[in-house]
Amino acid sequence: MGGELHIRLGQSPHHLNPAIQSGVVTGIPGAQIFAGLIRMDNAWRPSPYLARRWETAKDGLSLTLHLVRHARFHDGRPITSEDVAFSVLTVKRWHPFKSMLAPVSRVDTPDPHTAVIRLSTPHPAIMLAMSPVLLPILPKHIYGSVEAVKGHPANLKPVGSGPFILEEFSPDKIIRLRKNPQFFLPDRPRLDCICFSFSKNTEEGAIELEVGNTHLMSFYQDRHQLRQLRDLDHITVLEDAFKGVGGIQWLAFNLRKKPFNDVRVRQAIAYAVDRDFIVEKWFQKQTRVATGPISSSSPFYTRDVNLYPQDFKKANRLLDEAGYPRGKTGKRFSFRMTYIPDRSGNRQIMAEYFEQLFLRRLGVEVIIDPPRNFKSWARKIANWDFDATIDSVYNWGDPVIGVHRTYLSTNIRKGIIWSNTQGYSNPDADRLMEAAGTELDFGKRKILYKRFQQLIMEDLPLLPLYESPFAIAHHKQLAGIGESIWGLMTPMDGVFWKSPP
């Protein structure tokens, strides 16, 4: 087989260690360099990877993993249960998804090929958390201690045990990976090399894909470019390619400040926004309205919530009731709105749409506060220096991993982006998340998460707008793409060229 695969990413990662950093741009190359314990297929089923088999205790308080016996790191050192324990504790210490491994109390290592993860409470999300993009197995002999991992130089030159070995990493320029000849799965990987480059915008990446300089590209929101690529004979477009990610775009409010400390104001904003219009006109119905905190790709999703159909009479009545009458000029109040920068410019356009809509129909003045760059935006939101922001978040497979962080009152942490930056606190929501996060019965969990979604859509700490339309565009001769809920954030050892271009 063999051959090279050229992939375009939207931006360059700062480093290549997914154990201490979430996100697609770190996760895609990271899942090639580092092996994980299990892998997830496209039907949410776990299958063996570094763990050849496993058992969950009947009380749900331990997970025993039996490791393959011939796996080695790229430097030749064997992988042992000590590396598994080290990696679990590193992710628990440093990964931003604090709820993901919060129930882990310790990891026992009775022999070099057995690791027993001990839990303080049952943890139904534990198998998803074993995926390579969330729990890469790190070499303990290189990092030394958990505390040393965060700023370790090995994050820029990582040694993993995945199907590909890092050959070159020049931030903003290139990531080059070569085949791991000692990979523990027979006859894998099937490619010789994967090369990542970076696009300034989706148009540049699409042109490179069209002319053949790039073979694969992941799209997030630019449906115009995807429509053009669908018309090309040599390109295949996979929709819903990252369903485990479950991206949701939202308008989030700072509940610490007036006027958004009043739920009636938040509900009024919801009744003013026509989310169906956004999906139909901006995305040509190629995505879905987001109806709550959980993505429709999740098995825990429900549509049985307050959907807030556009109703200006109700919106204006709520604002009157909240004590914000129209003044002599017709204006009620003003607030600042910012947004996370993106390559497509969709969020800026949306902010301008809200600016016109709210002033004209509600008497609410929106002062757009455009971000200088991602870092400046993230600093403002993380430190609560905002009124409202348009941005997005990912579900990351299980609500325990990617949803709870936004709504738990215990996760109101100043300085941490994509925590509970809205300042939302409701003991009933906390209790529902605690119960659902420890319930092993799927049917009971689904009922609990239905109640949770209904409660959130009444409290509205944020207004879900639409689901992020993730897609993959790739050369038609490329096979083995789209076989996991994680999209490209999964090992590409089975990807191959049917006929190299």
Side-chain angles (χ1 to χ4, degrees), residues 271-452:
Y271 279 118
V273 176
D274 187 348
R275 293 175 290 167
D276 289 318
F277 169 81
I278 293 172
V279 167
E280 290 174 11
K281 299 300 181 183
W282 289 0
F283 295 101
Q284 286 76 51
K285 299 182 181 180
Q286 296 180 74
T287 186
R288 306 174 186 87
V289 169
T291 63
I294 295 179
S295 167
S296 65
S297 64
S298 169
F300 298 107
Y301 170 78
T302 182
R303 189 178 168 83
D304 185 14
V305 298
N306 190 342
L307 296 174
Y308 294 94
Q310 192 173 55
D311 188 332
F312 293 117
K313 286 186 178 180
K314 188 175 288 188
N316 279 287
R317 186 175 70 249
L318 284 165
L319 292 176
D320 289 338
E321 293 173 0
Y324 293 98
R326 290 180 184 267
K328 293 181 180 179
T329 63
K331 176 182 165 182
R332 297 178 185 273
F333 59 83
S334 62
F335 71 92
R336 294 178 300 149
M337 180 183 293
T338 188
Y339 52 87
I340 185 174
D342 65 297
R343 292 179 295 160
S344 68
N346 279 334
R347 297 190 186 102
Q348 178 183 345
I349 296 171
M350 192 168 299
E352 294 167 354
Y353 161 67
F354 290 150
E355 177 187 32
Q356 298 176 31
L357 176 70
F358 295 165
L359 184 61
R360 186 174 72 252
R361 304 307 297 263
L362 301 181
V364 172
E365 180 186 30
V366 174
I367 303 168
I368 297 178
D369 182 14
R372 293 195 308 273
N373 50 45
F374 172 79
K375 286 185 178 179
S376 66
W377 171 84
R379 189 179 305 112
K380 277 191 172 186
I381 306 306
N383 288 288
W384 311 339
D385 180 22
F386 72 102
D387 297 332
T389 178
I390 302 170
D391 61 272
S392 62
V393 76
Y394 302 154
N395 279 193
W396 286 104
D398 192 284
V400 170
I401 299 173
V403 177
H404 289 198
R405 56 180 168 148
T406 302
Y407 305 96
L408 279 169
S409 62
T410 54
N411 203 37
I412 300 174
R413 298 186 293 158
K414 196 168 188 178
I416 307 296
I417 192 62
W418 287 304
S419 57
N420 185 349
T421 51
Q422 290 71 242
Y424 174 67
S425 180
N426 184 330
D428 290 335
D430 286 342
R431 282 192 286 269
L432 283 169
M433 285 183 281
E434 181 180 5
T438 57
E439 176 57 64
L440 297 178
D441 182 275
F442 174 81
K444 293 179 180 179
R445 284 192 86 198
K446 192 162 186 175
I447 292 171
L448 289 166
Y449 277 127
K450 179 179 180 178
R451 294 174 186 164
F452 166 74

Side-chain angles (χ1 to χ4, degrees), residues 64-97:
T64 301
L65 301 158
H66 303 277
L67 307 181
V68 296
R69 294 179 175 270
H70 54 283
R72 295 182 176 273
F73 288 107
H74 296 155
D75 63 359
R77 292 281 291 268
I79 296 172
T80 72
S81 56
E82 291 291 334
D83 298 300
V84 173
F86 175 78
S87 302
V88 170
L89 297 178
T90 296
V91 170
K92 180 180 170 68
R93 171 67 177 88
W94 290 117
H95 200 281
F97 299 171

Side-chain angles (χ1 to χ4, degrees), residues 57 165 265 345:
I165 299 171
V265 173

Side-chain angles (χ1 to χ4, degrees), residues 9 13 15-19 21 23-36 49 74 131-138 155 158-164 166 175 177 196 488-492:
L9 297 180
H15 60 76
L16 298 171
N17 186 355
Q21 173 71 47
V24 175
V25 295
T26 304
I28 292 175
Q32 315 317 315
I33 297 169
F34 294 99
Y49 197 20
H74 296 155
S131 301
V133 69
L134 297 172
L135 180 56
I137 300 305
L138 309 176
N155 298 330
V159 174
S161 57
F164 294 92
L166 179 66
I175 303 171
L177 310 178
F196 297 93
L488 299 179
M489 294 186 295
T490 194
M492 298 187 197

Side-chain angles (χ1 to χ4, degrees), residues 27-327:
I28 292 175
Q32 315 317 315
I33 297 169
F34 294 99
L37 292 163
I38 62 99
R39 52 209 306 174
M40 302 296 296
D41 68 14
N42 214 18
W44 300 84
R45 295 173 302 212
S47 61
Y49 197 20
L50 277 174
R52 56 189 173 87
R53 60 183 178 88
W54 53 84
E55 298 99 32
T56 302
K58 289 184 178 180
D59 60 6
L61 295 180
S62 68
L63 174 67
T64 301
L65 301 158
H66 303 277
L67 307 181
V68 296
R69 294 179 175 270
H70 54 283
R72 295 182 176 273
F73 288 107
H74 296 155
D75 63 359
R77 292 281 291 268
I79 296 172
T80 72
S81 56
E82 291 291 334
D83 298 300
V84 173
F86 175 78
S87 302
V88 170
L89 297 178
T90 296
V91 170
K92 180 180 170 68
R93 171 67 177 88
W94 290 117
H95 200 281
F97 299 171
K98 291 300 179 184
S99 58
M100 183 167 66
L101 294 181
V104 174
S105 56
R106 70 179 193 273
V107 183
D108 294 336
T109 55
D111 64 62
H113 298 102
T114 307
V116 184
I117 300 177
R118 304 290 183 182
L119 305 168
S120 58
T121 61
H123 189 35
I126 189 67
M127 291 308 298
L128 269 168
M130 299 292 106
S131 301
V133 69
L134 297 172
L135 180 56
I137 300 305
L138 309 176
K140 182 179 180 182
H141 66 277
I142 287 180
Y143 286 100
S145 71
V146 168
E147 292 303 316
V149 175
K150 183 72 171 178
H152 201 286
N155 298 330
L156 295 171
K157 296 181 179 180
V159 174
S161 57
F164 294 92
I165 299 171
L166 179 66
E167 192 171 75
E168 179 183 359
F169 176 35
S170 298
D172 298 316
K173 294 181 180 179
I174 193 173
I175 303 171
R176 179 177 289 277
L177 310 178
R178 59 180 171 84
K179 178 178 182 176
N180 176 9
Q182 304 301 320
F183 190 50
F184 57 90
L185 294 179
D187 303 318
R188 301 289 182 95
R190 304 175 79 174
L191 293 169
D192 293 324
C193 174
I194 299 179
C195 183
F196 297 93
S197 56
F198 312 101
S199 298
K200 296 178 182 177
N201 52 60
T202 53
E203 183 177 5
E204 176 186 273
I207 292 172
E208 292 292 296
L209 191 61
E210 181 176 352
V211 301
N213 293 335
T214 295
H215 305 131
L216 187 154
M217 186 173 178
S218 180
F219 281 76
Y220 308 111
Q221 297 184 58
D222 199 324
R223 313 310 280 180
H224 173 69
Q225 297 294 340
L226 280 176
R227 285 197 305 275
Q228 291 183 331
L229 290 171
R230 280 195 196 92
D231 295 333
L232 299 176
D233 291 337
H234 68 291
I235 298 297
T236 293
V237 174
L238 300 177
E239 303 287 352
D240 296 325
F242 289 78
K243 63 184 179 183
V245 174
I248 292 175
Q249 304 285 325
W250 63 31
L251 174 62
F253 309 108
N254 189 340
L255 275 58
R256 305 168 188 85
K257 295 183 177 183
K258 292 183 177 182
F260 297 123
N261 61 337
D262 192 318
V263 67
R264 293 169 294 186
V265 173
R266 305 193 297 269
Q267 291 175 341
I269 295 294
Y271 279 118
V273 176
D274 187 348
R275 293 175 290 167
D276 289 318
F277 169 81
I278 293 172
V279 167
E280 290 174 11
K281 299 300 181 183
W282 289 0
F283 295 101
Q284 286 76 51
K285 299 182 181 180
Q286 296 180 74
T287 186
R288 306 174 186 87
V289 169
T291 63
I294 295 179
S295 167
S296 65
S297 64
S298 169
F300 298 107
Y301 170 78
T302 182
R303 189 178 168 83
D304 185 14
V305 298
N306 190 342
L307 296 174
Y308 294 94
Q310 192 173 55
D311 188 332
F312 293 117
K313 286 186 178 180
K314 188 175 288 188
N316 279 287
R317 186 175 70 249
L318 284 165
L319 292 176
D320 289 338
E321 293 173 0
Y324 293 98
R326 290 180 184 267

